Amino acid sequence: MTPIPFKAVAVDMDGTFEDDNKQFDHYRFEQVLTKLREQKVHFIVSSGRPLSRLRQDFFEFLDRIDIIADNGSILTKDNQVIARHVFTYKTGIKLINFIQTNYPQIEIVASGLDSAYLNKRASTNFKKLMHFFYPNIDEIANLLDLPTSDSLTKLTLSCSSELANEIEKKFNADNTERIHCTTSGFDNIDIMPVNVNKGQGIKFFLRYFEIEPEELIAFGDGMNDKEMIELAGYSYAMENGDERLKKIAKYEAPSNNKMGVLQVLEE
C-alpha cells in the first residue's frame, strides 16, 4: 500500500465538505475515514458552526474525529471538550450593548457553551437560518440578560464585512479585551476573542498529536479558512471557493457539490 503523505486532515464544512443542501455522503466518508484511521491519520472538522450543530452533523463519527467549532473557540477530542476560548461575561455584555446601541439594524446570535441566544424580536428569516445552525437556541427578550452561568464563545451578526471591520476597530479602540471579526461561513459575520481562529485551533491539535504543519492536508472555501490553509503543507481551495483563497492555496479541489474533499482523499 502506498503510504499516505500526510498525518492529519482538516476540513471546513459549509461550501467545502458539505454540498449546497447541507449534506455529505456518509457512506463514502465512512470508507475514507476507515482507511485514514488504518494509517493513523487524524480527521479534524474545522468550522464556524457551533459544537451542538457539528455533533448532529457527525453523530455516528464523533468517537473517530476531532472538532474545531465556532471558528476556533471550542476544540473537542473523542467528543470531549479539551480547550475553549471565551469572552469574559463583562466583555460579552459590553460588546452586545455596543452593537445594539450603535448598530440597531444588526441582528445577533450569542453563542455560549450551553446554549445559543437570540432576540425574540429578530426577523423570521434570521430566526430560520439560526435555528438550523444553532439547534439548542433559546429566544429571549433581551440579549443583555444572558445567564451568568454560561460562557460566551462568539457572536454571529447579520452584517457586511465592511461594517464588521468598523465594529472591530471602534470596539478595540476602547477595550483591553479585544475582538476579531471573520466571515461565519454562512453569509454572516462571527466575532470571537482576538487571536481565535481555525489556524490556531489546528496548531493546538498538531502540537497535541506531535504532527508538523507540512504533514497536514486542509480544505476550505472562504477567508475564515485563510489561517488554516496558510498553515497546511497540502492546502486545497474548493473550485467554488473565494478567489482570494485560491491564490493562497497550493491546489484546487472539485466543488463541494461534487464531494470534492472526498474525491481528493479517495485519490
Side-chain angles (χ1 to χ4, degrees):
M1 179 183 293
T2 303
I4 296 177
F6 47 84
K7 296 181 181 179
V9 181
V11 300
D12 172 50
M13 281 293 284
D14 296 282
T16 301
F17 193 69
E18 285 194 339
D19 62 22
D20 291 347
N21 294 318
K22 310 300 182 189
Q23 303 290 327
F24 67 91
D25 190 323
H26 287 231
Y27 176 78
R28 285 176 71 182
F29 179 54
E30 175 76 49
Q31 307 308 305
V32 168
L33 185 60
T34 297
K35 293 196 174 188
L36 290 174
R37 286 175 61 82
E38 285 174 356
Q39 296 204 32
K40 304 187 185 305
V41 177
H42 300 275
F43 191 91
I44 306 167
V45 177
S46 181
S47 177
R49 294 185 180 191
L51 182 59
S52 57
R53 176 73 248 176
L54 292 171
R55 280 175 165 163
Q56 288 191 11
D57 298 327
F58 291 93
F59 67 94
E60 72 266 55
F61 306 109
L62 291 174
D63 60 341
R64 291 177 283 167
I65 65 172
D66 306 298
I67 293 176
I68 297 171
D70 279 341
N71 270 326
S73 292
I74 302 177
L75 280 63
T76 76
K77 183 181 184 301
D78 300 326
N79 204 24
Q80 300 296 316
V81 175
I82 60 172
R84 59 189 183 184
H85 308 278
V86 299
F87 292 106
T88 62
Y89 185 83
K90 179 180 178 181
T91 294
I93 294 299
K94 191 173 184 179
L95 177 57
I96 292 170
N97 185 56
F98 172 80
I99 295 169
Q100 290 185 155
T101 301
N102 296 285
Y103 307 92
Q105 76 277 19
I106 293 178
E107 297 185 288
I108 304 171
V109 166
S111 183
L113 292 174
D114 299 328
S115 298
Y117 305 92
L118 173 68
N119 194 301
K120 289 181 178 179
R121 298 186 299 278
S123 68
T124 301
N125 287 341
F126 190 69
K127 282 185 179 182
K128 183 178 179 180
L129 179 64
M130 292 301 110
H131 272 280
F132 172 81
F133 286 107
Y134 297 88
N136 61 340
I137 204 164
D138 289 333
E139 294 188 21
I140 61 178
N142 190 345
L143 289 179
L144 297 179
D145 294 329
L146 293 181
T148 56
S149 59
D150 205 351
S151 297
L152 186 62
T153 58
K154 71 170 186 177
L155 299 182
T156 297
L157 313 181
S158 62
C159 74
S160 66
S161 56
E162 291 79 14
L163 196 54
N165 290 336
E166 180 181 315
I167 290 171
E168 179 179 318
K169 183 177 180 180
K170 289 185 176 180
F171 187 83
N172 285 343
D174 295 323
N175 293 275
T176 55
E177 190 175 344
R178 294 162 62 83
I179 65 170
H180 169 63
C181 296
T182 187
T183 175
S184 69
F186 39 90
D187 299 324
N188 288 290
I189 295 295
D190 280 348
I191 303 182
M192 289 94 60
V194 71
N195 296 325
V196 173
N197 57 61
K198 293 181 181 182
Q200 291 300 318
I202 294 294
K203 286 180 180 178
F204 180 97
F205 274 122
L206 294 183
R207 290 192 299 268
Y208 191 94
F209 296 130
E210 298 182 346
I211 294 172
E212 296 299 322
E214 294 77 15
E215 299 172 307
L216 170 71
I217 182 171
F219 300 83
D221 74 305
M223 291 306 286
N224 64 333
D225 302 312
K226 175 178 177 286
E227 293 88 356
M228 179 173 79
I229 292 298
E230 288 175 332
L231 182 66
Y234 301 85
S235 56
Y236 282 81
M238 307 306 291
E239 178 186 349
N240 53 285
D242 191 310
E243 293 300 322
R244 294 172 295 175
L245 192 70
K246 291 181 181 180
K247 293 178 181 179
I248 298 170
K250 297 184 175 98
Y251 310 104
E252 184 172 313
S255 80
N256 64 317
N257 288 322
K258 299 175 184 176
M259 292 289 109
V261 172
L262 292 179
Q263 280 194 50
V264 172
L265 293 177
E266 286 165 343
E267 290 168 8

